[in-house]
Structures are given as structure tokens and as C-alpha cells.
């Protein structure tokens, strides 16, 4: 293997055993990333694997939920388990980038099956406190993040197999959002979408368009070739779902970043968000997701119930209905 091919090819560590240690140390790890598109909510779930050790993490798994019937299913999460099994992977981590408002997290389900550790950004405790009031939850419900095995601080480093995972605090969409940077891949979830879809909304409780701009700038400081994996794709003009870009691609093509600055972005984002109705699953989802992806405990009849606060958001847009 020549040095030129190493520099341009971004090869995996497993292919570099004959390279000199000095060269290897400079190369970014290239994790195996498999995205699983969940079409109902436009979410992408990821399995990120260390090609060398076959240890893996799941990022942002979805628990299927039909609000019309109140049914839950594990079809989407089971796809991840199948992939893990078929590829001989060992699941070490079940990670969420933030408490999602558009889908229920399958973190609790996957933990029960695999025993892998769950993790989320440490500021999730602030979101827990915020929504505890909105749901009027009893004092006994903890808001210390104890529903997860680990809470990640900004800049914290950890391992998936032998790959280093670094956490970048990326608030704006929510105040607890984080980006997981794993080798040459970054999981940016609701910050940047694919360039033809712009950026994520920043109007949920705890959201902040200015913070989102700053988080995006931080992500764009990663090397240009860094692979960026978004958490949603809504398939504009019904094109096939896509979820992988690069820092360079976003800089060149994302219209929300072109000829923009913080003030312009905040104006654009705020005006756009004002017209958006709340996500249809926000009230079912957050009470589950702030409990670490755990459904409420069954009541005396053995059935689980979700709690929906009425008129808690009187100023929310009804979208096309009004
Ligand atoms: Fe989100």
C-alpha cells in the first residue's frame, strides 16, 4: 500500500496493518455505518461498527408507534438487531443524540434484549425538568438522568471497540442535543439535514435558533471530508431517502448556510418555525424518551397509558388546518 493511496483512500484500520505506526496514527478511523430509514417519521437509525473488533453502537433507534390505535411495535428496532446478528457484531452502546419529539426511542427495548449500555447528552436532565412541569409528573419521577447508563459531557471521549467516540454538544434543536463524532463520521441528527432540506427546527421548549447556528458552525469545523449522517430525511419531491453528506458538501450546497450569518439564520429559522405545526408525536414521544425510551409502567389493569397535556401550547401553529 502506498502512502498516496492511504492519503486519498481513507482506508479502514483493518487494511493498514502493514503501514508504519507513524502513518496509521494520522489516519481517521472509518467506521462501518449502516443507516436504516424509518419512513413513517422520516428517521434514520444507525448501526456504527468498528471494522476491527466488530463492536458496535446503535444511534437513535425507533420504537414504532401508531397514534391512531395506540399500538407499539418493534419492527424498526428488530431490523437493527437482525443486522447486528447477521454481521457478527457485538452491541456495546445504545445512543440517542437528544430526546426526540418525532418518534419514540427504542433504547429501553434494545437494552432489555442486548444488555448494552444506554447513553445521551448530560443536559438531558434540564429537558427532563422542563417537561416534568408540562406533564405535571409526580415528584417521584427522577430528573437526574438516572434512566440512562451514562450521560455524556461536552468533549467527552469514549470507545466503541477500539474506535474513539467524541461528544460535541450541539444545542439548538433541543438544549441537550449532542453530535457523536466517531472516526471520520459524525452523527449530527437534527442540526443539518441533507442540503436540499436545510436545517432542523429550533422552536421546541428549550430550542434556540442562535444556539443551533453556533452548533452548526462547530460541526462545520470538522475536517471537510468528515462524513455527516443526519437523523431525518423528509424526501423533498419524493426523491429516494438520503442521509449521508460531508462537511464540504454542506458548506457548498446547504441553502441555509449560503451567504448567511448568525442574524440572518436566526431570522430565517424563526420565521419558518413559526409556520410549522408541532410534530404529531411530540406529546407521546417526550414522556417516553425522557424516561430513557421506557414506556410508562402498566396500571392496575395491566395496560400502559400515555399522558397528553391539553392546551399546554396555546400559541402552537395548527399548520394547514387554519
Ligand atoms: Fe429531533
Amino acid at each position: 500500500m502506498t502512502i498516496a493511496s492511504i492519503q486519498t483512500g481513507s482506508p479502514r484500520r483493518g487494511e493498514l496493518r502493514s503501514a508504519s505506526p507513524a502513518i496509521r496514527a494520522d489516519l481517521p478511523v472509518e467506521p462501518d455505518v449502516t443507516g436504516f430509514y424509518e419512513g413513517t417519521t422520516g428517521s434514520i437509525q444507525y448501526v456504527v461498527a468498528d471494522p476491527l473488533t466488530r463492536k458496535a453502537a446503535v444511534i437513535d433507534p425507533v420504537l414504532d408507534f401508531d397514534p391512531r390505535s395506540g399500538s407499539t411495535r418493534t419492527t424498526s428496532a428488530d431490523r437493527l438487531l437482525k443486522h447486528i446478528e447477521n454481521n457478527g457484531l457485538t452491541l456495546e452502546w445504545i445512543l440517542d443524540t437528544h430526546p426526540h419529539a418525532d418518534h419514540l426511542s427504542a433504547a429501553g427495548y434494545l437494552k432489555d434484549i442486548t444488555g448494552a449500555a444506554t447513553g445521551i447528552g448530560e443536559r438531558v436532565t434540564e429537558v427532563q425538568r422542563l417537561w416534568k412541569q408540562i406533564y405535571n409528573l409526580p415528584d417521584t419521577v427522577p430528573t437526574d438522568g438516572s434512566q440512562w447508563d451514562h450521560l455524556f459531557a461536552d468533549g467527552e471521549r469514549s470507545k466503541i471497540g477500539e474506535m474513539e467516540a467524541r461528544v460535541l454538544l450541539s444545542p439548538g434543536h433541543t438544549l441537550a442535543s449532542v453530535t457523536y463524532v466517531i472516526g471520520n463520521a459524525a452523527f449530527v441528527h437534527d442540526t443539518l439535514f441533507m442540503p436540499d432540506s436545510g436545517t432542523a427546527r429550533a422552536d421546541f421548549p428549550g430550542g434556540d435558533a442562535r444556539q443551533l447556528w453556533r452548533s452548526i458552525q462547530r460541526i462545520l469545523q470538522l475536517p471537510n471530508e468528515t462524513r455527516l449522517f443526519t437523523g431525518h430525511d423528509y424526501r423533498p419531491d419524493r426523491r429516494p431517502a438520503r442521509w449521508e453528506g460531508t462537511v464540504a458538501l454542506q458548506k457548498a450546497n446547504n441553502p441555509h448556510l449560503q451567504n448567511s450569518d448568525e442574524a440572518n439564520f436566526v431570522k430565517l429559522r424563526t420565521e419558518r418555525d413559526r409556520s410549522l405545526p408541532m410534530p404529531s408525536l411530540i406529546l407521546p414521544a417526550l414522556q417516553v424518551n425522557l424516561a430513557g425510551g421506557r414506556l410508562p409502567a402498566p396500571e392496575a389493569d395491566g395496560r400502559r397509558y400515555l399522558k397528553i397535556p391539553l392546551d399546554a401550547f396555546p400559541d402552537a401553529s395548527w399548520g394547514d388546518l387554519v
Side-chain angles (χ1 to χ4, degrees), residues 146-190:
S146 54
Q147 297 89 340
W148 289 267
D149 294 308
H150 190 78
L151 302 182
F152 290 101
D154 186 24
E156 186 173 342
R157 292 165 192 270
S158 110
K159 291 266 186 181
I160 301 166
E162 292 186 8
M163 301 187 299
E164 186 176 83
R166 182 162 57 97
V167 170
L168 279 186
L169 183 64
S170 313
H173 173 65
T174 75
L175 57 80
S177 298
V178 296
T179 292
Y180 297 104
V181 182
I182 305 168
N184 72 354
F187 297 84
V188 301
H189 208 267
D190 294 17

Side-chain angles (χ1 to χ4, degrees), residues 57-110:
V58 159
I59 299 179
D60 291 330
V62 172
L63 183 72
D64 306 299
F65 175 63
D66 174 20
R68 293 162 298 192
S69 65
S71 307
T72 62
R73 286 188 186 158
T74 58
T75 310
S76 294
D78 289 337
R79 286 179 71 197
L80 307 180
L81 292 172
K82 197 84 195 151
H83 174 83
I84 288 166
E85 183 186 338
N86 288 348
N87 289 278
L89 304 178
T90 304
L91 191 63
E92 287 193 325
W93 283 103
I94 303 157
L95 305 173
D96 271 295
T97 49
H98 64 289
H100 307 278
D102 63 283
H103 68 265
L104 279 60
S105 168
Y109 169 72
L110 290 176

Side-chain angles (χ1 to χ4, degrees), residues 195-227:
D196 58 359
S197 299
T199 56
R201 63 193 296 180
D203 60 328
F204 301 154
D208 185 316
R210 194 171 305 279
Q211 290 285 346
L212 181 60
W213 171 261
R214 291 174 186 176
S215 293
I216 288 170
Q217 298 312 308
R218 205 173 174 205
I219 289 166
L220 294 178
Q221 284 171 15
L222 293 167
N224 269 335
E225 62 277 15
T226 306
R227 297 183 290 163

